[in-house]
């Protein structure tokens, strides 16, 4: 059996590895357009900011590892240019030469790409693929005053790093507060205040209408001086290769079933290139995040090799960090609940993250959303200096298992004065929603 994987990121390499585990005898080939595989785009803002100097730390495992330890053929600088799904053929450019590759099973893991800010403006820098991280770092180092466009997770992280590098930073966001797509107002406003307090010039409710050599014009007519513009206005599925060959979903990514099959039973898609079902609404949902890429890759790989693993769906567990405080959300926020037509109730609490006598820590805020009629938890947001990802994970498990606020209240969350409270903030937020 010939298994061909297109894309050597998290999803593609996870798929290839699990296909190997399931089918020791299969021939497995991965095509990767760039020179880096098994990479971590999540580290790119921190590489730009100089948090670490060794670029290759962005790569978890190298080509040699996959060849020698997993018997997987990995071709780098190898771009799939044409795909004929019915004939089971891919035409690729491998090191400058065109090559025809046949497959029995295909896994498409081509990821996402940045949305363009203004039509292909060469003066705008996009922070995305690790392969471009070095150029982005050099451009950032050379700049004095930078405008970052987009106040989502990436924009916030890049703005923080630039500020740490000593740059003057403008952060332009069209929403009413930072991370307004993910966070509700309470947590989003706290993040915005923190960014402003850290000296970042945050401009809200405006968009960029023009980029000149030395300044940016905003939609309200004002100008910002800047010798570098970094756009972080979102991503879109990278699906040009499969357009017209595989069915796309309403979000423009490859539509898959629970086996990660895409249109045909011998074609699979995983990671940012695919869209799946939201676990709360049951509706198609696109959530381009690393843990989803890893797990959907596993499912695609196992099934391409003849197994039968099922992917349950996604929640959108998103976390960022600004100046030592993490902000995250999982499940639905208020806007998404309204859009889904769900009547909901909320609770929000702020406590210290540690016992009052234990040094360190800070405030932690937990917000929960529950369906009004049933009390079932449908979303949560957490901000704080520690244990944020773990608390979001507990809320994620509660949503996934359709727990009510009462169920979540009784989840036994451990306690030690160094990193929590005997009444954990998640438990307290659930208690507010409990029916007594
Ligand atoms: P990708 O990582 O995009 O990999 C796809 C690969 O396919 C690429 O290497 C590409 O070169 C290759 N490719 C594309 N087309 C072809 C072709 N035709 N032929 C051959 N190869 C091709 N997620 C989190 O959960 N937490 C975070 O903190 C976080 N931070 C992020 C920060 C940044 C700057 C970025 C860009 C993303 C971040 N993400 C984060 C998202 C996360 O990195 C992605 O969800 C994850 O990398 C998706 O993996 P993937 O394999 O589907 O796609």
């Amino acid at each position: 059996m010939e298994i061909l994987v297109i894309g050597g990121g998290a999803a593609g390499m996870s798929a290839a590895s699990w296909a190997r585990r399931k089918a020791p005898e299969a021939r497995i080939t991965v095509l990767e357009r760039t020179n880096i595989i098994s990479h971590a785009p999540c580290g790119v803002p921190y590489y730009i900011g100089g948090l670490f100097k060794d670029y290759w730390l962005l790569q978890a495992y190298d080509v040699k590892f996959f060849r020698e330890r997993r018997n997987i053929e990995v071709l780098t600088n190898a771009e799939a240019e044409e795909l004929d799904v019915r004939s089971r053929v891919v035409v690729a450019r491998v090191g400058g030469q065109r090559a025809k590759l046949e497959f029995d099973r295909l896994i498409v893991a081509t990821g996402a790409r940045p949305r363009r800010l203004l039509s292909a403006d060469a003066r705008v820098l996009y922070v995305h693929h690790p392969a471009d991280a070095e150029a982005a770092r050099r451009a950032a180092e050379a700049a004095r005053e930078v405008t970052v466009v987009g106040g989502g997770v990436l924009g916030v992280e890049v703005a923080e790093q630039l500020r740490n590098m000593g740059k003057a930073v403008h952060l332009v966001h069209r929403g009413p507060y930072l991370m307004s797509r993910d966070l509700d107002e309470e947590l989003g406003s706290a993040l915005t205040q923190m960014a402003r307090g850290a000296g970042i010039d945050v401009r809200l409710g405006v968009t960029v209408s023009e980029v000149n050599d030395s300044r940016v014009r905003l939609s309200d007519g004002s100008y910002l001086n800047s010798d570098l513009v970094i756009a972080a206005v979102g991503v879109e599925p990278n699906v040009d290769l499969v357009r017209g060959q595989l069915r796309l979903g309403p979000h423009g990514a490859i539509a898959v079933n629970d086996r990660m099959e895409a249109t045909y039973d011998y074609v699979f898609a995983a990671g940012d290139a695919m869209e799946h079902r939201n676990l709360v609404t049951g509706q198609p949902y696109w959530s381009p995040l690393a843990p989803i890429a890893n797990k959907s890759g596993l499912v695609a790989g196992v099934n391409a090799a003849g197994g039968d693993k099922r992917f349950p769906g996604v929640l959108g567990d998103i976390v960022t960090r600004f100046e030592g405080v993490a902000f995250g959300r999982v499940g639905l926020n208020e806007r998404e609940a309204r859009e889904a037509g769900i009547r909901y109730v909320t609770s929000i609490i702020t406590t210290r993250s540690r016992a009052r006598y234990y040094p360190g820590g800070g405030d932690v805020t937990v917000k929960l959303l529950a369906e009004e009629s049933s009390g079932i938890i449908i979303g949560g947001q957490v901000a704080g200096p520690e244990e944020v990802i773990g608390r979001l994970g507990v809320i994620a498990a509660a949503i996934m298992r359709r727990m009510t606020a009462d169920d979540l209240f009784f989840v036994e969350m451990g306690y030690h004065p160094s990193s929590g409270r005997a009444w954990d903030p998640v438990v307290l937020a659930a208690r507010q929603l409990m029916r007594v």
Side-chain angles (χ1 to χ4, degrees), residues 49 114 135 172 192 201 216 232 330 414 420:
V172 177
T192 308
D201 171 33
V216 169
V330 64

Side-chain angles (χ1 to χ4, degrees), residues 329-340:
R329 73 88 183 238
V330 64
L332 305 189
N333 57 32
E334 290 204 44
R335 174 184 53 77
E336 289 169 324
R338 276 194 302 274
E339 283 171 8

